Amino acid sequence: MKIAVLGGGPAGLYFAISMKLRGADHEVTVFERNKPDDTFGWGVVLSDETLDNLAENDPVSAASIREHFAYWDDIAVIHKGMRTVSTGHGFCGIGRMRLLLLLQERARELGVDLRFSSEVDDPRPLMAEYDMVLAADGLNSKSRAAFPEVFKPDIDVRKCKFVWLGTHQKFDDAFTFIFEKTPHGWVWAHAYQFDPDTATFIVECSQETYDGFGFADMTKEESIAACEAIFKDHLGGHRLMSNASHIRGSAWISFPRVLCERWSHENLALMGDAAASAHFSIGSGTKLALESAIALADYLHSEPTLDGAFAKYEDARRLEVLRLQSAARNSLEWFEEVERYLDLDPVQFNYSLLTRSQRISHENLRLRDPEWLAGAEGWFQRQAGAGSNVSRPPMFAPYQLRGLRLKNRVVVSPMAQYKAVDGCPTDWHFVHYCERAKGGAGLVHIEMTCVSPEGRITPGCTGFYKPEHETAWKRIVDFVHAETEAKICAQIGHSGPKGSTQLGWEEMDAPLSDGNWPLLAASPVSWSDRNQIPKEMDRADMDRVREEFVSSAMMAERCGFDMLELHFAHGYLLSSFISPLTNKRTDEYGGSLRNRMRYPLEIFDAVRAVWPDDKPISVRISANDWVGDDGITPADAVEIARMLQTAGVDICDVSAGQTSKRARPVYGRMFQTPFSDRIRNETGMATMAVGNIYEPDHVNSVLMAGRADLVCLARPHLADPYWTLHAAARLRDKGVAWPDPYLPGRDQLYRLSERAEQMTGKV
């Protein structure tokens, strides 16, 4: 096969090597626009796993690369004058120039034709001349640009500015992050050794800080001098250096996240940054390139056609690329918003940094550095008031809200059961809620319980509007208080435009086949074309519903509930006022966000006035309508939280979506936690995180990183009422209380759990 490779970086060179290893008769030519010893980066990072893959593919080049690696196991974080070190991370670095020279040497040995100072502006002539063309020509790929309608690149230029520098200062004991506060804002560095004499030193900051310094108007020398002044306490008198001689000005850039819809066209394939880029903060760009080179070379020899090889290549590598890009996105977004976290205690800040990409979890940190994590857990417990000698996972830390003290941070989310009769909870509800209270959670929410018959979502929804409702709920609350250590929260709400619909296991949000009741909303906007158009509430309606909320809150207090939550989310009545998608009013309750919040806050004020001072009230919000700027955005959610905080709401239960049929949510593990994180760390308001949280690891990571104060789990508690007790057994934590009749079962569970760990070598 006659092959042209465009780009002599790691991807192009390693693909050429891999092809020659699989067929010495392949004619492979590499076209590189720069000279052999030109390079515009400093060091690159690879993992042990990637090195093993290289050794399996080509032991010769892998051995020469290993000889030049700098290894380190620690991560150091310098923040607020404190240096915090954790171990067990396993990195290795090599100079980019050294790596290229080693790959060039190996390619020549195998007979690859290397043509330097050879610019290829258009791949089409080579596509006609060669059997195959590989475009590994970088972030600004001219090959990709030649066929934009085919590759359909999505290029997202990110917020922060950074400059890639080097230094002879030693950072050979740890991958080091340094955060410095300046008069213009925070500036931080990513520093790591890559040869005995030189370290990479990437300097990064926000656009605002960049503008404040005036970096855009500086020469390269002036910019470097400014960075040396910022980090003088960490450079030991050494200079910072740039090797970007080809760039005019200060050499600062913004990172472009690239993802192409397709990676091949006819006999042309994209690889490396030309196809997809991963942010430098997770150090995986070179890893992706080298492993993609191996994969494509394999498929070109296993598949009978070029089209078949390209298809296999895309299918195999796209998932891995997307996985790493997701981690890279999490990481870069953390750095983009790092000023949100810089007031955290250094222990919590360090934990937040280490877990920013979600690739490292709480228990993974325990495997890497059990001593450091135990210290961090002890710090968390002390902050929670558990005592100075307590070291337990964060989920088992107590939590105080007003006069309410929870034994742990696990919350059973509100989950509609659709089993009520005329709004009255039944034996189903008694068993359901009491079992979950026995299961170890610190707080149990009941389902959204409606303030009136017309405020129900479905005929099976519970209510707080008849004497028999009070009797039934009090029976449940009394059992929870008498037989468990759990506290119980009443969530109250009104369905608004989403009412009069079928039971959840029938057709969700669809109107009843008969017996529908009239609906109310902020504006006459129906949930869907099939649903009723609700009546726009007038002042009399608003007064009546407000009093229904007050009456329901008073009933919840008489039942003995420990906490109250108002439902302002998910497209129900009060949500219909908040979202601009459903509030089209032109009076004082429509228009601006402050106006749209006016009626929900009236409800809160009225309820707070009758709810006991020593009992907290939370509010559940939809922090994102998932329709872009047309609806509520995460930035709006911060302002909503500020208003709630000012009004006296104790904690914000941060959900998202379910406000419009137009919504296009982005699902994933802990997918709504970033909204809680942002609200908590920008406003200082306590939050509850919800949304696809299902592992103890998730709960502990969210809490330890300061992304929420309480963590709500829904479906896991449907599948396992004893989720918290079982989680404690998995974590070998024996501080949780089991019901006395169940103690033999507890003892057996711990024995089995410990035996299983011993058999798998974890102990």
Side-chain angles (χ1 to χ4, degrees), residues 472-608:
W473 282 121
K474 189 174 188 307
R475 176 177 174 237
I476 293 170
V477 173
D478 287 348
F479 179 93
V480 170
H481 288 159
E483 300 292 348
T484 81
E485 295 182 350
K487 304 301 182 182
I488 187 164
C489 175
Q491 187 191 71
I492 62 175
H494 188 296
S495 60
K498 294 177 76 174
S500 192
T501 57
Q502 299 177 35
L503 302 181
W505 51 80
E506 295 173 340
E507 187 178 355
M508 181 71 74
D509 295 328
L512 298 169
S513 55
D514 56 68
N516 286 282
W517 55 83
L519 305 180
L520 295 173
S523 300
V525 178
S526 63
W527 171 248
S528 75
D529 293 341
R530 296 176 58 194
N531 294 76
Q532 293 179 58
I533 296 176
K535 177 193 175 188
E536 179 172 295
M537 293 177 73
D538 57 28
R539 186 65 253 179
D541 295 322
M542 295 166 76
D543 290 343
R544 184 180 69 257
V545 170
R546 183 191 64 223
E547 293 311 310
E548 289 169 348
F549 269 91
V550 168
S551 177
S552 293
M554 294 171 68
M555 183 178 289
E557 160 57 13
R558 292 194 298 271
C559 292
F561 282 95
D562 302 294
M563 178 174 167
L564 192 67
E565 179 164 289
L566 302 180
H567 206 316
F568 285 14
H570 298 171
Y572 298 129
L573 180 68
L574 300 180
S575 173
S576 78
F577 276 85
I578 298 171
S579 175
L581 300 173
T582 48
N583 186 338
K584 306 298 181 182
R585 300 175 75 101
T586 57
D587 62 6
E588 67 270 32
Y589 294 97
S592 69
L593 178 58
R594 185 160 295 278
N595 280 358
R596 300 197 309 271
M597 284 292 293
R598 190 185 301 271
Y599 183 59
L601 289 173
E602 285 182 13
I603 296 288
F604 169 76
D605 289 341
V607 167
R608 182 72 265 182

Side-chain angles (χ1 to χ4, degrees), residues 237-313:
H238 291 276
R239 304 296 305 272
L240 293 175
M241 306 174 289
S242 171
N243 57 16
S245 58
H246 62 303
I247 297 178
R248 294 180 180 178
S250 65
W252 289 73
I253 59 174
S254 299
F255 180 78
R257 197 275 293 145
V258 175
L259 181 62
C260 293
E261 186 175 302
R262 289 189 59 187
W263 294 1
S264 63
H265 173 57
E266 296 178 354
N267 64 336
L268 172 70
L270 304 181
M271 186 173 287
D273 286 343
S277 61
H279 192 252
F280 58 83
S281 63
I282 67 165
S284 293
T286 304
K287 164 190 168 66
L288 287 176
L290 298 176
E291 292 178 351
S292 290
I294 295 170
L296 181 54
D298 282 341
Y299 291 125
L300 286 169
H301 289 83
S302 67
E303 301 305 307
T305 66
L306 196 62
D307 287 345
F310 284 172
K312 282 287 187 80
Y313 161 63

Side-chain angles (χ1 to χ4, degrees), residues 77 84 334 345-356 360-363 365 372-373 376-377 394 697-707:
V77 180
T84 306
W334 188 90
D345 182 276
V347 173
Q348 193 161 50
F349 179 80
N350 189 60
Y351 184 97
S352 180
L353 185 151
L354 292 174
T355 59
R356 69 193 182 279
I360 297 177
S361 68
H362 194 79
E363 292 307 307
L365 272 178
W372 182 87
L373 186 64
E377 289 180 335
D697 243 15
H698 302 165
V699 178
N700 287 320
S701 295
V702 168
L703 293 168
M704 189 73 222
R707 306 178 81 191

Side-chain angles (χ1 to χ4, degrees), residues 12-92:
L13 289 170
Y14 204 69
F15 173 74
I17 291 167
S18 299
M19 288 301 293
K20 292 294 282 186
L21 287 170
R22 285 157 180 77
D25 57 342
H26 291 309
E27 182 182 331
V28 185
T29 305
V30 176
F31 298 87
E32 167 56 44
R33 64 178 180 145
N34 296 306
K35 297 175 183 177
D37 55 354
D38 283 345
T39 186
F40 308 112
W42 290 92
V44 298
V45 178
L46 296 175
S47 65
D48 287 334
E49 177 191 16
T50 301
L51 287 178
D52 290 342
N53 291 337
L54 299 186
E56 185 177 346
N57 183 64
D58 180 25
V60 174
S61 61
S64 63
I65 290 170
R66 279 186 188 275
E67 288 177 9
H68 293 87
F69 260 124
Y71 289 88
W72 65 94
D73 210 32
D74 295 350
I75 290 179
V77 180
I78 300 173
H79 170 231
K80 293 185 178 178
M82 181 182 294
R83 187 175 190 265
T84 306
V85 179
S86 61
T87 193
H89 302 289
F91 292 101
C92 40

Side-chain angles (χ1 to χ4, degrees), residues 121-184:
D121 292 321
D122 187 341
R124 280 167 282 214
L126 293 177
M127 291 168 67
E129 180 182 350
Y130 287 80
D131 298 321
M132 181 208 150
V133 177
L134 180 77
D137 49 352
L139 279 171
N140 299 310
S141 169
K142 293 183 178 180
S143 301
R144 184 182 68 223
F147 302 101
E149 72 288 350
V150 175
F151 296 125
K152 297 181 181 177
D154 176 9
I155 302 176
D156 179 15
V157 179
R158 302 303 305 188
K159 299 177 185 177
C160 286
K161 307 293 285 190
F162 71 95
V163 60
W164 207 293
L165 303 172
T167 181
H168 292 310
Q169 168 66 320
K170 295 283 188 179
F171 291 96
D172 53 1
D173 60 339
F175 193 119
T176 303
F177 296 96
I178 307 168
F179 296 85
E180 286 291 332
K181 192 171 187 178
T182 76
H184 300 296

